[in-house]
Amino acid sequence: AVVSTQSTGDVQNLELTENEKNRLIVLQDLCRRKYHVTPGSKFGGDFLAYPGDPLVYHAYFVVRVYNEDCTDSGDLLALSRLASSVKKVAVAAIIKNGTVKYISLQWSGLR
């Protein structure tokens, strides 16, 4: 099989929905940062990010992709609690003008 790679700039020219484009931008960015990435739907996210080979390492992060108007605090709280329950860090990947910003969320509960 032949796999073609495209730069982030090429994403805008593909016939994808806005959500698909944003997920592709984040996927490319995580791969550029040397994470191994797998689907994360089982853990409430878009992706799981591993520091190395998924057959050797556990995922560190559950990543969910948001557009720039990420204002649903309930959704962020749910992501954080779910990731915490599976011993991972929740990461909100926020897309603004084609740029990715990451916010890590950890649930500490009430003490």
Side-chain angles (χ1 to χ4, degrees):
V2 175
V3 177
S4 68
T5 59
Q6 297 182 347
S7 71
T8 303
D10 294 336
V11 170
Q12 303 307 324
N13 298 327
L14 297 174
E15 292 183 23
L16 301 172
T17 67
E18 194 64 29
N19 286 339
E20 290 170 332
K21 286 179 185 179
N22 288 343
R23 285 187 182 112
L24 184 54
I25 289 169
V26 171
L27 176 62
Q28 289 175 333
D29 188 63
L30 290 170
C31 291
R32 183 183 57 77
R33 294 170 185 265
K34 307 293 185 213
Y35 286 102
H36 290 252
V37 182
T38 63
S41 58
K42 278 196 215 178
F43 296 94
D46 293 306
F47 304 111
L48 294 177
Y50 297 79
D53 185 346
L55 296 175
V56 177
Y57 295 93
H58 290 283
Y60 281 1
F61 307 113
V62 177
V63 181
R64 186 169 302 160
V65 179
Y66 296 93
N67 62 14
E68 63 185 274
D69 61 346
C70 168
T71 57
D72 186 354
S73 59
D75 188 54
L76 292 172
L77 178 62
L79 173 63
S80 176
R81 291 182 71 180
L82 182 59
S84 177
S85 72
V86 292
K87 296 182 174 47
K88 298 182 186 349
V89 175
V91 174
I94 301 170
I95 307 292
K96 185 172 185 176
N97 300 326
T99 302
V100 183
K101 297 200 187 250
Y102 296 97
I103 299 173
S104 63
L105 308 161
Q106 289 183 293
W107 176 254
S108 61
L110 299 174
R111 295 182 196 259

